[in-house]
Amino acid sequence: MTQTETPSQGSVTSEGLATRAPCGRSGVCFFIQLYSKVFKRVVNMASDDITQLTDSLSKTHVGDGELSFKGLGLKLDNAESVRELVTKIEQYQGLGALRLGGNTVGVEAAKAIAKALCSKDQLQKCYWSDMFTGRLRSEIPTALMSLSGALMSAGARLTELDLSDNAFGPDGIKGIEQLMKSASCHTLRELRLNNCGMGIGGGKILAEALIESHKKSTALGSPLRLKVFFAGRNRLENEGASALAKAFQLMGTLEEIHMPQNGINYAGVIALASAIRQNPDLQVLNFNDNTFTKRGTLAMAQALRLLRNVQVINFGDCLVRSEGAIALAAVLREGLPILRELNLSFGEITGGAALVVAQAAMDKPHMEKVNLNGNCLGENGCEVLREVMDNMDKGDMLASLSEDEGEPDDEEDEDSANGDSDASDECYETDECEEIVKENGITGGGSPEKPQKQAEIQTFLRSPTAEKLSHTKMNLQEQVNAAEPNQAADIFLKIGSLYSEDTEAKLAVFEMIDEVLKKVLSASALQSYCFLTSLLVLMGVLKGERKVKKMSLVPGQLLCLEHAVQQEYFSQDHVSLLHTLLSRNGDALKSCSAARERLCSALEKKWHKFQ
């Protein structure tokens, strides 16, 4: 040990402890020195925390109506520990914003801060993220209630509230429930609750509070106009998301919605899609790392058609898959005029579908970034995508493809390959579209068919013949519905299977094909793209989300498509879509190689005609 005295006079360690107590005059001197050191040490220990707090508070940012204690790492347990902080709050005239994040606040400290806030009626912005680290979960609601009560007592009118990164769970939401319902939040414009673990229960409580706040503020003549909402990483799941969707739909003023990593699947996505339709000023949508699948993506695509101000879409890691990606490409074709960023990474999208998305994105005048990383393009697919975008001088727009998953396994389900899919799988896609029509308002429907007509149509679809086609021609035309793309594709293929080189029979088939396609391809880009993708899935060219009973193709079906491609109703976008996907997956039609060549040739001619 380091010694601060000579051995003859006794030794004192660097920690201030005696190792030997000498006698005599030298001993008295020794004890005086020892007690002096111990006393200084005690005083220093008592003042360490105060000194630390004082040093930290000296770094406090003051200005522009804002008082910030952000990131000081203060452990504020009681009234004494926040004395200087409270003094600064009390002395700040016209306090408009208060930052407390990056410290840890206990119940007693929160009460002391709350007392200081009771007079701050000009406070508008509370940045209180990450301020309960290490606190018991049971403490947090009490602390929040104290702070909330102070804001309400002061008559503050908040515009921004950030409580992110406070893992307080549903009970924490209860701590701010009354605040959210009060007049103090009728003016709220931005609400950030990222990473709070609110769960389904917390999501429902928050949704009800927002709804009540909107109703109360509307009754007072100034409705709640929330613009920015963050609630990522909260385990909201379908129920929590659906509850919040009702609040979003009621408010109708949102400009940004950020809800990544919440365990939401298609049911919750459909509810959110219904809500965003009612928010025409939306600019940013971030639902990263939820599970859309085809159903959710179609609903979201349908909603996006109505929005003109969206600039950023983040559907990364949402399993939009190929059919969903093509549906979003259709929306790019007909809407989203000022979109700047599109993230469809890690979505199990294949090479052909990725190309369709990229081609649509390149035509957007404000597009800056397209992220298709982590999908299933394969090495060749990545090269083709880069080449296409480089040739259009858009290479910088494409994000890295370094984490591509490679081409998907082409092996078919054994039952599906043998044509033994059960009935529920066969009707899955049609049921799926009908569900979206009902839940999310996709156009279509019409009046119910009479039983006799339905029977005739079903008889034809089960066993198509030229005679049955002539009998049920008008009924089939009425049955075709752009909002039911799978059924329309099935009808097309069944009619196409009756193709014959006999002139009269060929003309009858072509006439019916024209009537069907005029109807489905004249609908919205989204509906027509859904029809073409459904057709290609049934033909085996495009991998669908679920296994469907693969149809045995005959050359006549491809020759009917060749005929259709040459007609005026087959637009440039339709040609582009079909040309792109067949060029990537044409081997699926090798059983009808001659007809496939004729179809590809017709597509090439029409393609070059548009260039």
Side-chain angles (χ1 to χ4, degrees), residues 32-206:
I32 291 172
Q33 292 172 351
L34 172 61
Y35 292 146
S36 175
K37 289 179 179 289
V38 171
F39 177 76
K40 288 179 180 179
R41 184 181 174 201
V42 171
V43 171
N44 288 338
M45 288 174 64
S47 62
D48 276 350
D49 290 340
I50 296 172
T51 302
Q52 181 186 0
L53 178 59
T54 302
D55 289 343
S56 296
L57 291 177
S58 68
K59 302 172 185 176
T60 300
H61 168 72
V62 180
D64 303 323
E66 178 179 301
L67 185 58
S68 176
F69 304 97
K70 181 181 177 181
L72 299 181
L74 303 175
K75 191 172 187 296
L76 308 173
D77 296 322
N78 49 46
E80 179 61 25
S81 66
V82 293
R83 182 166 53 82
E84 291 197 31
L85 183 150
V86 164
T87 299
K88 284 183 176 287
I89 292 175
E90 290 174 337
Q91 292 177 349
Y92 198 109
Q93 299 300 312
L95 180 62
L98 178 62
R99 295 184 184 271
L100 295 175
N103 301 291
T104 175
V105 181
V107 172
E108 295 305 316
K111 288 179 179 178
I113 295 171
K115 188 176 180 181
L117 292 176
C118 283
S119 61
K120 301 301 176 182
D121 59 342
Q122 296 182 51
L123 184 61
Q124 294 182 325
K125 302 175 183 180
C126 295
Y127 303 112
W128 296 349
S129 62
D130 186 25
M131 58 182 242
F132 295 114
T133 301
R135 300 295 170 181
L136 295 176
R137 191 160 168 176
S138 58
E139 293 180 82
I140 301 174
T142 305
L144 287 172
M145 286 178 187
S146 296
L147 295 168
S148 296
L151 296 174
M152 291 186 283
S153 296
R157 295 294 182 264
L158 298 184
T159 58
E160 296 181 36
L161 177 60
D162 185 358
L163 288 167
S164 298
D165 301 316
N166 291 311
F168 46 50
D171 290 341
I173 297 297
K174 291 178 182 178
I176 62 169
E177 182 180 4
Q178 295 308 312
L179 173 65
M180 294 301 304
K181 293 178 179 179
S182 75
S184 290
C185 283
H186 289 178
T187 50
L188 200 61
R189 298 293 180 265
E190 299 185 16
L191 178 60
R192 288 175 168 81
L193 293 167
N194 272 332
N195 193 30
C196 289
M198 69 175 82
I200 294 172
K204 289 181 175 180
I205 294 169
L206 178 62

Side-chain angles (χ1 to χ4, degrees), residues 274-294:
S274 295
I276 70 171
R277 289 166 172 262
Q278 309 302 321
N279 287 265
D281 296 326
L282 269 169
Q283 298 174 23
V284 179
L285 281 174
N286 179 5
F287 293 116
N288 189 284
D289 198 9
N290 290 292
T291 307
F292 282 29
T293 62
K294 179 183 174 183

Side-chain angles (χ1 to χ4, degrees), residues 449-457 468-480 491 512 519:
E449 295 291 341
K450 294 180 179 179
Q452 183 179 353
K453 290 183 178 181
Q454 285 283 8
E456 289 177 358
I457 292 168
K468 291 177 184 175
L469 178 61
S470 64
H471 284 309
T472 192
K473 179 179 178 181
M474 292 302 297
N475 293 341
L476 278 173
Q477 290 176 358
E478 294 174 8
Q479 180 72 8
V480 172
I491 289 173
M512 191 61 194
K519 193 169 183 179

